[in-house]
Amino acid sequence: MSQPGRLVAWFRRQPVRRKLTATVLSTSAVTLITGCVVFATYDYIDARSRLVRDVTLLADMLGTNSIAPLTFNDATAAAETLRATAVNDHIESARLYMPNGALLASYVRDGSPQAPERDRDRFPQAGAAVFEGDSLHVVRPIVLDKGVVGTISG
């Protein structure tokens, strides 16, 4: 007799009370596992959306603080503004681009792999936030009086 056949024969020999207990226990286990999978999936998706929201907000704040350096083409002040990202251990790099696409300033955390210089070209859509592997890449326009004065990416 095969293994599943033995299991069915054993189950048939059990009293109704034990069969009911096994059925309720099995149903509860399946429900619990399904609930855990749903909760874990929701938590994963929610964590990613919170990360996009937080990093986008940080990029917008840095962009707002970079309006003067972009307007006056001040690379030193722009680099100083980008160094503010050093307080967040998860941010590996940030770059400011002029409206013509020229790189004005960049920041790369010590020990981080060198990020591509032209990621603005890889994500041309204004306001893009894209996950690549375990990294989040954000490109945001910097706006002053309804005109784009530059782009921040990281």
Side-chain angles (χ1 to χ4, degrees):
M1 190 181 287
S2 68
Q3 187 67 12
R6 285 187 205 170
L7 186 60
V8 170
W10 175 83
F11 190 74
R12 284 187 180 155
R13 287 193 310 263
Q14 300 304 313
V16 172
R17 183 171 158 191
R18 189 170 283 171
K19 289 178 185 178
L20 285 174
T21 302
T23 304
V24 168
L25 186 63
S26 300
T27 304
S28 298
V30 168
T31 304
L32 182 64
I33 291 169
T34 303
C36 287
V37 167
V38 167
F39 179 72
T41 303
Y42 169 78
D43 192 48
Y44 176 77
I45 292 169
D46 187 53
R48 286 173 71 104
S49 67
R50 279 192 318 259
L51 180 64
V52 168
R53 184 188 67 224
D54 292 347
V55 172
T56 301
L57 178 65
L58 182 61
D60 288 343
M61 288 189 323
L62 282 170
T64 301
N65 290 336
S66 301
I67 289 175
L70 283 164
T71 303
F72 298 110
N73 200 17
D74 186 355
T76 305
E80 187 65 31
T81 302
L82 290 180
R83 262 189 253 130
T85 61
V87 298
N88 191 329
D89 294 336
H90 300 292
I91 296 178
E92 296 179 353
S93 65
R95 285 167 296 292
L96 278 174
Y97 295 98
M98 299 294 290
N100 63 3
L103 181 67
L104 178 64
S106 66
Y107 164 79
V108 178
R109 179 175 301 285
D110 293 334
S112 294
Q114 185 65 33
E117 287 295 321
R118 303 299 296 177
D119 65 343
R120 180 186 147 171
D121 295 338
R122 292 184 354 195
F123 308 113
Q125 178 186 359
V130 178
F131 281 97
E132 284 187 343
D134 61 350
S135 296
L136 172 63
H137 300 279
V138 174
V139 178
R140 301 288 292 173
I142 302 170
V143 179
L144 175 65
D145 294 332
K146 297 182 182 179
V148 176
V149 295
T151 305
I152 187 164
S153 70

